[in-house]
Amino acid sequence: MKRTHICALVLILAMLLSFAACGGGTATPTEPAASAPTQTTAEPEPTPAEPAAQEAPPAAPETQSAPQDDAIRVNTVDEFLESIAPGAVIELAPGSYNLSAYLGGAAGGISDYVGRSFCADGWQTEINRVDGLTIRGADGGRVEVVTEPRHADVLFFNACSDITIENITFGHTVEQGSCEGSVLEFDSCRGVTLNGLDLYGCGTYGVAAKHTTGIELNDSVIRDCSYGIISLNVCGDVTAKNCTFRNNGGYDLVSLANSFARFDGCAFTENEGDEFLHASAWYGDDSGARFDRCTFGRWESERLDKELRDHGNYLLGSDCRFDAEVGRRVVRASSVEELIEGIAPNTEILLAPGRYNLSEGLAKLLEQKGEDFARDLAFVSVNDEYDGPELIVTGVSGFAIASESGSAVDTEIVTEPRHADVIRFEDCSGVGVMDLTMGHTEAGECSGDVLKFTGCGGVALCGLDLYGCGVYGVGANECGRLSCFDSTIRDCRYGALELYGAQERQMFLNCAMTGSGGGGSFYADEGSNGKFYFFRCVFGERESNVFAFDDTITAEDCSWSEITEYPDYAPDFDESELAALDTSRVKTAPFDQQVLADVHVFLCYEIVNRQSGDVTFVSPSAMKLLAFEKDGTGYLLDSDGTQYAYKFAMDSNYSCVLSFDDGREASVGLCADQGGALPGSQEGQLWLQMYWGDEVLWFY
């Protein structure tokens, strides 16, 4: 159902970068209150500093280096840090580089791009606002970069982009113990490539990142860290490939908050902590992860068996191996019938590459098994829409559906009816939809979304390509947390998003929204924690025209197209340009309470006096609406902002009674537009007719 969203205020975009004092860094290097040490040593220690009683790390895998002629070759800490600049390629000669020894004798900042900050037990190196930097270890020997303070990161990067680090060992010189600093930390960065690294404790995490997109960790080792392996907060497009994670522990091994990460061909062994997936135990509905071709030791396997229950936002993809049984049910499907019959709680469906036409598959099932085939499927129902069947998934928890290949390019789900959602989820929790292309087979007038969620919570979407002619790419009514990562929403009829009645925060990270008829419609239930957050998203022209002026959303570090239309804050309302509803062209339709709750919000178009027949149009600045909730309650929002609560109940197949808290009653019915009732109206447009005293109110 089309919804009109009217913007009232210009959105002020505030881009704020906040950094922790240590183990996270500051934007500007600061001196401690006490006098600074006077050490002036600039040479590295002659031998590598290995953690006590620790086996020697494996040799770093060979990686392709930049051309030798481009590199700045360095042999000392001061040469290394003073060479850091945009576009620099720095090659470290074999040996150990003790950053603490040099930082203690430095006076203030090292350069325009390198600073230092004092932590609880020493200095931390901070690299600020550098683009296109490569740091690599030279072939022919081990290169190790260390720091002594356990409360400092070995290296901290702030607001950097296109950073590559290769063939180096990083760690803290002292043995494991209480610490607050990670090995490598990134804050507000873009495009980080880490190849052939050996990252060891006592760092809290091998890699920690905040507000960062585009992290690749390849052919690397993270070992002996005292908190866990990796920590991500508001991060997207994060991949670890062919890595080994061993002997880490303390708290949560993979700590995700508002983030999505992929692990491909990685080995998790001899780790042990409070949790494996911190997010699944505490916040499991704001993040997600996918594991493909990974191996898990006994402790890791046992923890996953417990933590993955009811969390379909964490996916065990193809060819994973476990040292203990993991009870997650995995269904590999290559047909629509296998897909539909596999839908159940604590289940993930991996689709073989191909194109899945849901309407054809549903028609085939109806022909083979009859109209009641869905009765045998506890979590699936079929809705007969105006122009065809619609698949509805109901009441599942811990359910995921994804392409087996891990790519949306080769796996597509479509439906033919333009008035049906491609897939609708109702009353579900812990749902993951990943790495799929989804849309309608034909463009044109429509009333169905691509993905629709009603009364759901803990929804994680990632790696999707959602396209029109769906009214909206993602629609959500009365939903809790919903997160969308690294996805594209394009060419939808009315807009990218329609998020109504949000109960908690709904966010979109590293997503592109282009080519649709508009941006979106947003509404959070009063008194709820409903908020709308966008981080590093890209908006097309029409989307920018809407999102940039919507004061209900928060957008951080997003990319906008040129604004071509500005909102009219005092539009002239000329009733002569509107046409009264031709009631001879509408037909009463049967309905039930569920239909009203699904539509949720109806906007008033005109008010007809039953005695005189006079018609009054409702202007955009005096909007009047009806809202229906699933629990049989609702409210009328009047044009002056007054809200009148009511309860509603069916009294026939064609009529529903609204009983207002102040004692008044009204009767409502639904009508289907047969075409031509209004200039430019759409066949199949739904109207709500409300009899209230001497007036008839028409809502759409």
Side-chain angles (χ1 to χ4, degrees), residues 178-200:
S178 175
C179 59
E180 293 182 4
S182 295
V183 182
L184 298 178
E185 181 157 358
F186 304 89
D187 197 334
S188 302
C189 295
R190 295 173 183 259
V192 177
T193 302
L194 310 173
N195 295 327
L197 304 185
D198 178 21
L199 310 178
Y200 66 83

Side-chain angles (χ1 to χ4, degrees), residues 185-302:
E185 181 157 358
F186 304 89
D187 197 334
S188 302
C189 295
R190 295 173 183 259
V192 177
T193 302
L194 310 173
N195 295 327
L197 304 185
D198 178 21
L199 310 178
Y200 66 83
C202 72
T204 52
Y205 291 95
V207 174
K210 295 178 290 186
H211 290 82
T212 293
T213 54
I215 301 176
E216 295 183 15
L217 179 65
N218 303 311
D219 305 307
S220 297
V221 175
I222 296 179
R223 57 185 172 89
D224 306 308
C225 290
S226 57
Y227 279 27
I229 297 166
I230 189 169
S231 174
L232 304 175
N233 188 356
V234 191
C235 295
D237 191 19
V238 178
T239 302
K241 189 171 184 178
N242 299 329
C243 295
T244 297
F245 308 121
R246 69 168 188 271
N247 200 34
N248 302 285
Y251 297 101
D252 38 285
L253 272 283
V254 177
S255 181
L256 304 179
N258 313 296
S259 301
F260 195 96
R262 297 174 183 271
F263 299 87
D264 188 355
C266 296
F268 297 83
T269 61
E270 302 175 14
N271 302 287
E272 188 168 343
D274 291 341
E275 304 289 343
F276 184 82
L277 294 167
H278 175 72
S280 73
W282 298 95
Y283 311 107
D285 50 6
D286 66 3
S287 298
R290 175 168 179 152
F291 301 87
D292 287 288
R293 294 169 287 278
C294 293
T295 60
F296 301 90
R298 175 164 292 277
W299 180 87
E300 295 89 348
S301 300
E302 291 174 348

